[in-house]
């Protein structure tokens, strides 16, 4: 069972990283970016396509983060700004369209087959008391933890982070105070997209390929995690991601046969028991 | 007033975004019907013969669909270059299904109304199951080169054909060979519960054939399942590792199979595996890489055959497809067009033949076809709507497929 729990934590860490992006955007802008899953996928696919054989694997990571950030900023420019930050439903619908465009452009350019990593990922697994541990997974977990803590500190302890939080409370007042709100929204989406790109790269390190069809599935899971954790709560997204990974792993191990339904079952249970999510703030 | 002007600014952009999405998802085409017309007559006098192709040019299996379209175009070009069929050139009309059964039905109906003599496709068993149930109403011969679910041709009441080995045919030949090659007498069954092709094989043909050939499936009552789109197989493989069987039967789409292969290697699993023909594609080899070992695949096409026709086909395809290796099943679609051409030649059908008469004659002619020499081997219908195909068994070692 220790192995199952470890597998779950490692899986959940990736989920959490993705969900933090959703949560950041919703927490700051009160908007849903439903193209996030496709940005995750596109960052992975394009980073593998543009890095050829012989390239150090970390180059793909840098590319994935940059592509994720760039596409996410485009979400702001093409969906949120034209529709308006104060119109959450049309803005969310526009991001669905943008996600479809991303998916179909990737499929038309690179096909629907999985894209394999052109570089060698150093593998060094070891066993501790019968539990198989992968160094790649451990490093991924460490990176995830550092990035999540850094994101949390950035939002809560820096000038830009304070501006982000103020923007979520009263965007007009922030604008009146002279804060460049357009830059603020671009920064928020850029960070969220960079996290999606990083999550995609960490998955690639683990499985050495990425499928163009993976965006929708993982995007929906990220959305569920954000809701389970509490809308706009970064610690909630982190906790929910890990919890979901562990539950999925246990369901898989027990052979329940409904692993794919676990996020949605958990979502229903959480919403029934605690409608504001695990760590969500009470709203009036 | 300000609000109205804001709306004027924003709605066009929203509409533009939605239109782009629709365009990119393949809902629009080069003409208003959404059809594409492929190679056609060049300098001929007779009426062309319209043949339909229904395949996935968008959606999850677009790479399969594009290879299939390329192979079909190649066949049409070659037949036309040799003078066509009884003085008429072939004209290919392509419809995209997006992998959606409902869209496939619409595509078939559109093609039937357009007067095609026969239709090649659709791609998946799920689409074929829906389309074949409508075939008797539109009364057009329809032949898939990829769907392989047992019994689906019965839905077409004589109008539907499979130029592909069914799961039962595949595993009746493959399972005994696998058992003999690796000394397997017990196996654990693992399959993708959300993927219709894999689930259909795992719940239908595999247990039935296993019982017939004396292979015990140790977890027949509770097979190990996973779900389409899953990327982490650590726990799934851990469960696989706890089964007490000589070998593993893994029914899944190629992407997930590749990831499982990599995880099996990581966890030190060395038992022999038998997979599904769909795993003989790029996604499987990209995902699993050199970690794929002792993995047998029953395929309907041997890309590495030394037969000149096969080498010529593979060479021509490699020049036009985006990412070699080509999808093996595209060879079935290539053969399908040549089979249709032969049936039409034998029955003196040309572009002037009344559509209903041509369709009825092609249907009867396909049923009578036997020992047709295709690039996939010898193909026979001989009174049965499911073709008898040559099955090629390959074993993947260190990521390289080699004939058994």
């Amino acid at each position: 069972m220790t192995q199952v729990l470890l597998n779950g934590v490692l899986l959940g860490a990736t989920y959490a990283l993705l969900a933090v992006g959703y949560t950041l955007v919703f927490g700051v802008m009160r908007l849903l970016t439903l193209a996030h899953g496709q940005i995750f996928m596109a960052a992975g696919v394009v980073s593998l396509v543009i890095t050829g054989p012989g390239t150090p694997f970390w180059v793909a990571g840098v590319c994935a983060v940059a592509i994720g950030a760039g596409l996410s900023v485009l979400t702001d420019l093409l969906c949120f700004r034209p529709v308006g930050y104060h119109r959450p439903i049309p803005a969310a619908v526009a991001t669905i369209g943008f996600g479809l465009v991303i998916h179909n452009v990737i499929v038309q350019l690179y096909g629907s087959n999985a894209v394999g990593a052109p570089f060698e990922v150093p593998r060094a697994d070891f066993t501790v008391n019968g539990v198989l541990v992968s160094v790649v997974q451990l490093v991924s977990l460490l990176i995830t933890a550092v990035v999540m803590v850094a994101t949390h500190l950035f939002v809560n302890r820096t000038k830009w982070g304070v501006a982000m939080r103020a923007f979520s409370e009263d965007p007009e007042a922030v604008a009146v105070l002279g804060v460049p709100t357009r830059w603020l929204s671009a920064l928020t989406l850029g960070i969220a997209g960079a996290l999606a790109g990083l999550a995609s790269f960490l998955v690639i390190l683990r499985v050495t390929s990425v499928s163009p069809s993976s965006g929708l599935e993982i995007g929906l899971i990220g959305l569920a995690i954000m809701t389970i954790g509490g809308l706009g709560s970064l610690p909630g997204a982190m906790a929910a991601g890990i919890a979901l990974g562990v539950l999925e792993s246990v369901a898989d191990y027990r052979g329940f046969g409904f692993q794919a339904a676990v996020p949605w079952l958990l979502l229903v249970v959480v919403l029934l028991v605690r409608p504001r999510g695990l760590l969500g703030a009470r709203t009036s | 007033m300000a609000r109205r002007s804001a709306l004027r600014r924003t709605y066009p952009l929203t509409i533009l975004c939605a239109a782009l999405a629709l365009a990119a998802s393949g809902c629009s085409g080069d003409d208003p019907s959404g059809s594409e017309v492929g190679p056609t007559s060049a300098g001929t006098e007779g009426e062309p013969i319209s043949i339909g192709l229904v395949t996935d040019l968008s959606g999850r299996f677009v790479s399969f669909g594009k290879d299939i379209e390329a192979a079909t175009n190649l066949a049409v070009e070659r037949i036309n270059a040799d003078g066509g069929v009884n003085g008429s050139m072939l004209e290919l009309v392509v419809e995209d299904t997006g992998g959606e059964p409902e869209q496939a039905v619409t595509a078939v109906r559109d093609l039937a109304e357009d007067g095609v003599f026969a239709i090649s496709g659709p791609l998946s068993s799920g689409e074929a199951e829906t389309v074949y149930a409508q075939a008797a109403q539109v009364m057009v011969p329809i032949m898939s080169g990829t769907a392989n679910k047992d019994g689906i041709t019965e839905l077409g009441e004589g109008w539907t054909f499979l130029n592909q080995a069914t799961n039962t045919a595949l595993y009746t030949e493959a399972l005994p060979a696998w058992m003999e090659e690796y000394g397997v007498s017990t196996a654990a069954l693992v399959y993708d519960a959300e993927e219709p092709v894999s689930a259909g094989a795992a719940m239908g043909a595999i247990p039935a054939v296993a019982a017939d050939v004396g292979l015990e499936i140790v977890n027949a009552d509770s097979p190990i399942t996973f779900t389409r789109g899953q990327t982490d197989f650590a726990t799934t493989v851990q469960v696989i590792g706890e089964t007490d069987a000589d070998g593993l039967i893994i029914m899944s789409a190629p992407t997930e199979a590749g990831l499982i292969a990599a995880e099996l290697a990581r966890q030190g699993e060395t038992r022999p595996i038998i997979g599904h023909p769909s795993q003989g594609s790029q996604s499987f080899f990209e995902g699993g890489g050199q970690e794929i070992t002792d993995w047998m695949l029953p395929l309907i096409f041997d890309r590495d055959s030394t037969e000149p026709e096969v080498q010529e086909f593979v060479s021509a395809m490699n020049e036009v497809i985006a990412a070699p290796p080509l999808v093996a099943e595209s060879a079935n679609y290539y053969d399908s067009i040549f089979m249709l051409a032969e049936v039409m030649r034998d029955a003196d059908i040309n572009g002037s033949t009344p559509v209903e008469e041509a369709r009825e004659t092609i249907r009867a002619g396909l049923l009578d076809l036997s020992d047709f020499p295709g690039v996939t081997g010898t193909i026979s219908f001989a009174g049965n709507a499911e073709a008898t195909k040559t099955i090629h068994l390959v074993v993947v070692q260190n990521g390289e497929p080699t004939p058994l």
Side-chain angles (χ1 to χ4, degrees):
Chain A
M1 187 49 88
T2 310
Q3 181 78 64
V4 176
L5 295 177
L6 178 67
N7 293 342
V9 169
L10 294 168
L11 173 64
T14 310
Y15 286 165
L17 204 50
L18 189 74
V20 164
Y22 274 110
T23 303
L24 194 62
V25 174
F26 189 83
V28 172
M29 304 171 74
R30 292 288 180 257
L31 292 172
L32 276 176
T33 169
L34 299 175
H36 208 56
Q38 302 299 354
I39 290 171
F40 165 93
M41 174 278 293
V45 169
V46 178
S47 69
L48 291 187
V49 170
I50 63 178
T51 53
T55 311
F57 68 90
W58 57 265
V59 175
V62 173
C63 291
V65 169
I67 293 162
L71 285 173
S72 197
V73 171
L74 273 181
T75 313
D76 186 35
L77 298 176
L78 298 177
C79 303
F80 291 164
R81 283 191 197 182
V83 172
Y85 295 114
H86 58 290
R87 303 174 69 218
I89 293 176
V93 172
T95 63
I96 293 176
F98 185 54
L100 273 172
V101 170
I102 292 174
H103 174 75
N104 284 286
V105 166
I106 292 290
V107 166
Q108 292 301 324
L109 287 177
Y110 309 119
S112 58
N113 285 329
V115 180
F119 44 78
E120 286 290 317
V121 179
R123 299 221 170 271
D125 294 352
F126 59 93
T127 306
V128 181
N129 291 332
V131 176
L132 182 66
V133 183
S134 152
V135 171
V136 169
Q137 286 175 306
L138 276 187
V139 171
S140 297
L141 186 61
L142 188 66
I143 292 172
T144 302
V146 168
V147 167
M148 287 197 294
V149 171
T151 307
H152 186 67
L153 291 176
F154 176 80
V155 171
N156 289 288
R157 302 283 172 85
T158 66
K159 195 174 94 178
W160 279 96
V162 170
M164 281 178 170
R165 286 188 294 132
F167 186 81
S168 72
E169 295 294 327
D170 192 340
E172 287 174 4
V174 170
V176 168
L177 288 171
V179 177
T181 52
R182 292 198 161 190
W183 281 104
L184 203 58
S185 61
L187 177 68
T188 306
L189 278 152
I191 292 172
L195 292 177
L198 180 62
S200 189
F201 173 66
L202 294 180
V203 169
I204 289 167
L205 284 186
R206 169 96 170 74
V207 303
T208 68
S209 66
V210 60
S211 166
S213 60
S214 60
L216 178 64
E217 200 90 29
I218 202 143
L220 288 173
I221 291 174
L223 198 59
I225 293 170
M226 177 185 73
T227 315
I228 292 165
L231 296 176
S233 166
L234 289 178
M238 297 173 196
I242 302 287
L244 181 61
V246 170
L247 279 176
E248 271 194 23
S249 189
V250 170
D252 196 0
Y253 183 71
R254 292 291 179 199
F256 293 148
F258 55 77
Q259 301 94 296
V262 168
W264 312 105
L265 289 174
L266 184 61
L267 179 64
V268 169
V269 170
V270 168
L271 289 181
L272 285 173
V273 176
R274 194 176 167 85
R276 63 177 187 271
L278 295 177
L279 298 174
R282 192 186 294 275
T283 54
S284 57
Chain B
M1 192 64 185
R3 179 178 165 73
R4 191 171 289 179
S5 80
L7 287 176
R8 271 205 297 270
R9 276 202 312 272
T10 58
Y11 274 123
L13 282 160
T14 311
I15 291 164
L16 176 67
C17 204
L20 278 171
L22 284 172
S25 65
C27 293
S28 66
D30 293 333
D31 68 34
S33 68
S35 309
E36 293 173 26
V37 179
T40 183
S41 54
T44 57
E45 292 175 7
E47 286 279 311
I49 294 171
S50 275
I51 302 290
L53 173 67
V54 173
T55 193
D56 297 19
L57 297 176
S58 57
R60 181 174 157 87
F61 295 114
V62 66
S63 290
F64 276 74
K66 285 189 170 177
D67 279 15
I68 286 166
E69 184 189 26
T72 309
N73 273 328
L74 183 64
V76 169
E77 280 167 7
R78 288 183 169 183
I79 290 166
N80 287 345
D82 284 344
V85 175
N86 300 324
S88 293
M89 294 293 114
L90 297 185
E91 178 187 74
L92 188 68
V93 186
V94 185
E95 289 273 357
D96 176 23
T97 69
E100 300 294 335
E102 297 78 12
Q103 210 168 313
V105 169
T106 306
V108 164
R109 287 186 177 278
D110 287 348
L111 288 171
E113 286 172 13
D114 289 348
V116 298
F117 283 10
I119 295 172
S120 186
L123 195 152
S124 72
S125 292
E127 290 172 278
E129 209 160 13
T130 313
V131 163
Y132 283 14
Q134 311 278 326
Q137 292 172 26
V138 294
M139 296 202 292
V140 183
I142 306 174
M143 177 160 54
S144 174
T146 32
N148 70 345
K149 187 173 177 182
D150 292 277
I152 54 173
T153 53
E154 291 164 16
L155 299 167
E157 299 174 26
W159 288 96
T160 53
F161 300 84
L162 288 185
N163 179 22
Q164 163 73 313
T166 62
N167 284 319
T168 298
L170 284 167
Y171 290 101
T172 297
E173 189 159 333
L175 279 183
W178 181 61
M179 293 164 70
E180 187 182 339
E181 177 72 10
Y182 290 103
V184 170
S185 60
T186 58
L189 180 60
V190 184
Y191 73 94
D192 184 339
E194 282 192 359
E195 210 272 310
V197 177
S198 310
M203 292 190 294
I206 294 282
V209 175
D212 286 346
V213 300
L215 175 68
E216 182 193 352
I217 297 181
V218 296
N219 61 343
D221 293 336
S222 57
I224 298 164
T225 61
F226 54 90
T227 53
R228 183 164 61 182
Q230 190 170 325
T231 55
D232 189 298
F233 287 92
T235 303
T236 306
V237 169
Q238 189 186 341
V239 177
I240 290 172
E242 292 175 4
T243 57
D244 183 17
D246 300 332
L248 306 171
I249 302 171
I250 298 182
M251 296 289 110
S252 94
T255 302
E256 288 77 12
L259 298 178
I260 291 173
E263 185 62 33
L264 285 167
R266 193 181 79 87
Q267 295 195 23
E269 179 62 63
T270 56
R271 284 177 285 182
I273 296 154
I274 187 164
H276 190 269
S278 66
Q279 294 162 7
S281 77
Q282 190 197 6
S283 285
F284 177 58
F285 295 104
E286 289 282 358
Q290 295 184 345
E291 313 281 17
I292 311 169
T293 285
D294 288 331
W295 193 302
M296 185 186 282
L297 295 173
L299 303 178
I300 44 72
F301 179 56
D302 178 10
R303 294 187 195 95
D304 301 317
S305 165
T306 53
E307 294 288 329
E309 297 81 12
V310 176
Q311 288 185 340
E312 193 193 353
F313 169 70
V314 172
S315 168
M317 284 293 288
N318 282 342
E319 286 177 13
V320 292
I321 60 174
L326 66 99
V327 170
E329 284 78 2
S330 61
N332 282 342
Y333 284 84
Y334 181 81
D335 283 345
S336 290
I337 298 298
F338 277 97
M339 285 194 289
L340 288 170
E342 177 158 310
V343 166
M344 288 190 286
R345 269 192 208 105
D346 290 349
D348 290 329
I349 292 172
N350 61 29
S352 305
T353 309
V355 173
E356 288 76 16
E357 182 190 327
R359 290 172 176 172
E360 180 60 51
T361 311
I362 290 170
R363 165 170 94 133
L366 280 175
L367 272 177
D368 283 344
L369 192 70
S370 63
D371 296 329
F372 179 85
V375 293
T376 57
T378 304
I379 307 162
S380 295
F381 284 104
N384 190 336
E386 295 171 354
T388 305
K389 304 277 290 182
T390 309
I391 294 166
H392 306 272
L393 299 175
V394 301
V395 176
V396 186
Q397 296 287 9
N398 301 318
E400 287 295 325
T402 50
L404 182 66

